[in-house]
Amino acid sequence: MSPVLYYATTLLVFFFDYNILTWGLNIQFGYTGILNFAFIIFMAIGAYVSGVFALPQANGIAGQTYILGLSWPFPLTLIMGGLVAAFFGLLVGLIALKRLRSDYMAIVTVAVGAIAYDFIGNVTGLFNGWDGLGGVPQPLQTRFNIDFNTYQFVYVGIAGVVMVILWWLANRIYSSPFGRTLRSIREDQDVSEAFGKNTFKYRMLAMVIGCFYAGIAGGILIFFTTALNPSGWTTGETFVVWTALLIGGTGNNWGAALGALLVPVGFQEATRFLPQFPGNPDLIPALRNIIVGGLLILVLWFRPQGIIPEKKARFNIFRIPLHGAPAEVRSRAASIAASQKEESNVTDG
Amino acid sequence: MAIYLHAFGFGLVTASILALASVGLTLQFGVTNYINFAHGELLTFGAYFAWLANAHYGWNIWLALLVGALLTGIVGVLLNLVILAPFVKRGFPVLFMLVVTFGLSLILSNVILAIWGADFRQYHVAPDTQHSIGPFLFTGEQLVIIAIAVVAMVGIHILLTYTKIGKAMRAMSDNPTLAKNCGIDTERVTNFTWLLSGFLAGLAGVVLALNISSFQPAFGGDFLFVIFAAVILGGIGKPYGAMAGALVIGVVTEVAAIPLSSDFKNDAAFAILVLVLLLRPQGIFASEGKA
Amino acid sequence: MSQTAEALARTPRPGEQTDILRVEHLSHSFGGVNAVDDCSLQVPANQITALIGPNGAGKSTLINVVSGFYPAQKRGTIFFNGHNITGWPTYRRANAGLIRTFQISRGYGGMTVLENLMVPPKKQSGESLLNAIFRPRLVAAEEARHLEKALQLLDTFGLYEKRDEYARNLSGGQKRLLEMARALMADPTLLLLDEPMAGVNPALADQLAQHIVNLAKQTGITFLLVEHNLGIVDQICDHVIVMANGRALATGTMAEIRANQQVVEAYLGG
């Protein structure tokens, strides 16, 4: 396999993975207005949990200590990662989402982020501490013994299928009455509560679904790279997802995908091979983070709706029954009906 | 038993540091009505400014502390003038202001990293001796830290109670619309609040760095949620509540470090934060929070 | 089922007079000051009732306690439509038919006018995650029904042409109209209107008043309005409750209220 093709397929997997992450954040922030400043933690949980479900018993691999080690098959491992991340989303939601003010929610997520980072790093028996998990078996690889070059393409396929399913789900949610209620809560939570919506329940659902997305993205990541340690999910990584979403367009999954292409894939990859400064090895990563943070603030100032803004909701008002409809609808619907020689096909229940 | 008493003493020192940091944060929240997630980076700035004066130019540490705090206050005002106030003027909702300050925290921590590198830094201070006061053991530095916090808190009390600008800050915190209609120059009060909040954060950053003896660019940001725990415990936006909250969190984290391990002492602050949010989100010292 | 048939189902038989809302000995305090102080009042069903009183009388606090926005402080009882709703969360009160509007109109600014109207219908099956994913036909049929009602209401309130406009782009008056139309989508039994005419020009105030009268007549919805415009109150309300110092001072028709010496003093002294 040529290095170019190898690099391209790798980028494609990262792009698919960041799409899933950014849609997850979009469901939380873009649809519902939930501030989750520890979003990347849920990705890490999904990755580690997927990993320890797939890995064999801990004593099998030299030097690593971790829980479980069940050697489960794919895709159960991936789903468990998503579910456990969702469960932690539920716990954080229980603490953070009861309160009306968005500040509390943001504070709790920041605190959770700091605690989780130290906890996973310090408790070595959990996911091998600061060294992180390694040697995670890749899906289908062990069973079918696919050669290294072909596997690159197989994995693009696996990540692609998962991405397409989650794309479909995210859009289905958006355009449903459920998604509409989520958006109404983003616009004005009090008003939605006054219309009989249990806003705590809805925000909780959005939190849990978004964290499920993050968890799945984590699984897709660790099965590709086969390793993950805490330096792969610092606060800076949370910003990358936030910046991608805000630049692309909050509330729009196409926008989120564009953001994922521009920020984590485009910008991060383009600057990956910059030479290090002798004397200050942290200078380049620091400058990259400054640019990511700066982009976030600039986009909020110059184009808060993002490159591809949220779409207006469209209703097909000509599908409704004719009786009782306003005059304009009646006349226009009648002319359409006449041209199609067919009545509107939705019946009154 | 003695070990717990000593831990209690350390707790008083931590509480002093926390009080400086959390009163600044809570005052700024009261006046501007949004949380500054870059407050931890202000602590870091203070520590590095003072380090520059102390280790680089060889100034006395207490003079360096004052310079560091003043410069951090100016950073606070600049942040407000250049970035935050324009967003507020545009009518950005609180939700987005939080995203902005969160973005600022990433930028500032990496600016520090880019300028000063990731190495651990230390102040040039003379070796210190321990003094036993009652059942407690303090170093000379720690006694000065406590004294600084006490003086600052008394100063804050005088400011809020007797000065015109302090009263204006309280008025803006209670009812911003009314304050504006009463002819308070809200822009000036906001800038002053950022100066004060930055100054206190700078003080806190230097004394925190002194107390843990070495620091690196992430140390202020890592301390942020402990500050949050104190602020929320005292009722968000309440300066006296934050002082009391700092006392509780400071003592509890240090005492908890004895049976647990110092790796997990901040988890105690987290546990308190969670309990307060679940049971009494308006804070234990406030009757009506801004919740 | 048409709107009128639904209304008939909950309209009491002629001659029967019931109170849809009963507040008994309710108190609510802020930092030790009782904004609502041992307040008892009744709102008769199928009528338009006004809640008036000087500034600081506790009207808004009462509305917020009754609708559940201020959590109950365990002093006093609220009955709505036969249920003791005192400890209920806001959304549960709304689902029982107690719908409110806000003093400052609060549209869902980032959603279109039509979409604003599609949010309130209660118990939408498509609001369940599983239905939203797996039962698109069920959801679509229900959406069509809500859409029909929404379009009718937009037509009634003169907002039909604005249906695809973002709510934040409406004028102040149009926002008021939207707010009322949207509240009707929730099928209220009792509609609490918190100063519906505030900041509205006289022509539009008349228009809103006419809508309220028509709705009360056609649908049997009970209205409770907090209102400062006594001319409008006189014109459209069957029943007036005067609040002062946190409690109900007097009730009756506007004519009776005007003749009440206590009320006059409260207004002048308050």
Side-chain angles (χ1 to χ4, degrees), chain A residues 79 188 193 199 212 253 301:
Chain A
I79 293 168
D188 195 325
E193 187 84 17
T199 56
F212 178 78
N253 288 321
W301 182 257

Side-chain angles (χ1 to χ4, degrees), chain A residues 41 80 117 125 178 196 337:
Chain A
I41 299 293
M80 287 314 295
Y117 199 75
F178 173 67

Side-chain angles (χ1 to χ4, degrees), chain A residues 13 29-30 51-52 61 63 67 76 88 103 108 134 143 159 209 251-252 262:
Chain A
V13 171
F29 179 72
V52 295
I61 294 172
I67 51 165
L76 280 179
F88 275 91
D103 318 45
V108 170
R143 179 143 6 129
I209 297 168
N252 186 321
L262 289 177

Side-chain angles (χ1 to χ4, degrees), chain A residues 1-7 9-10 148-153:
Chain A
M1 182 186 254
S2 78
V4 175
L5 199 56
Y6 176 77
Y7 184 62
T9 44
T10 303
F148 178 79
N149 288 336
T150 322
Y151 193 76
Q152 194 74 9
F153 293 106

Side-chain angles (χ1 to χ4, degrees), chain A residues 181 183 187 312 324 328-329, chain C residues 110 115 119 127 152 160 164:
Chain A
T181 299
R183 278 177 286 131
E187 295 294 320
K312 262 188 188 176
E328 191 205 350
V329 183
Chain C
E115 214 181 3
V119 174
E127 282 181 302
Q152 281 174 345
Y160 189 82
D164 287 331

Side-chain angles (χ1 to χ4, degrees), chain B residues 180-267:
Chain B
K180 196 159 197 167
N181 292 342
C182 291
I184 289 174
D185 182 351
T186 51
E187 248 172 68
R188 207 182 60 123
V189 175
T190 306
N191 280 326
F192 176 79
T193 307
W194 277 100
L195 181 73
L196 183 65
S197 170
F199 180 82
L200 290 170
L203 283 183
V206 183
V207 294
L208 177 64
L210 266 177
N211 197 41
I212 60 179
S213 85
S214 68
F215 60 96
Q216 37 77 36
F219 98 114
D222 290 345
F223 197 59
L224 183 65
F225 79 91
V226 186
I227 304 173
F228 280 152
V231 166
I232 295 211
L233 183 63
I236 196 162
K238 311 271 174 202
Y240 300 105
M243 295 177 198
L247 190 63
V248 173
I249 299 285
V251 169
V252 168
T253 49
E254 292 301 335
V255 171
I258 303 293
L260 296 171
S261 131
S262 60
D263 273 348
F264 298 110
K265 70 177 181 186
N266 286 345
D267 296 62

Side-chain angles (χ1 to χ4, degrees), chain A residues 168-169 172-173 176-178 180-181 183-184 186-188 190-198 202 209 310-317 320-321 323-324 326-329 346 348-349, chain C residues 69 90-91 94-95 99-100 102 106 108-112 114-115 118-121 124 126-127 129 132-133 136 139 143-145 147-148 151-152 155 160-161 163-164 166 182-183 186:
Chain A
W168 174 83
L169 181 66
R172 189 74 171 234
I173 289 173
S176 70
F178 173 67
R180 183 168 61 217
T181 299
R183 278 177 286 131
S184 80
R186 173 194 73 191
E187 295 294 320
D188 195 325
D190 286 349
V191 172
S192 298
E193 187 84 17
F195 281 132
K197 316 298 178 194
N198 184 349
Y202 283 109
I209 297 168
E310 186 168 23
K311 273 184 298 195
K312 262 188 188 176
R314 292 285 172 203
F315 293 92
N316 191 351
I317 63 172
I320 67 159
H323 59 86
E328 191 205 350
V329 183
V346 178
D348 192 12
Chain C
F69 269 80
T90 301
Y91 71 89
N95 282 325
I99 301 293
R100 68 165 294 178
F102 292 84
R106 290 163 76 164
Y108 297 128
M111 297 164 85
T112 67
L114 185 51
E115 214 181 3
M118 295 297 282
V119 174
Q124 301 182 40
E127 282 181 302
L129 178 60
I133 299 171
V139 175
E143 286 282 282
R145 283 202 301 280
L147 200 53
E148 182 190 356
L151 290 169
Q152 281 174 345
D155 205 32
Y160 189 82
E161 295 304 322
R163 63 186 178 275
D164 287 331
Y166 281 119
R182 191 176 56 174

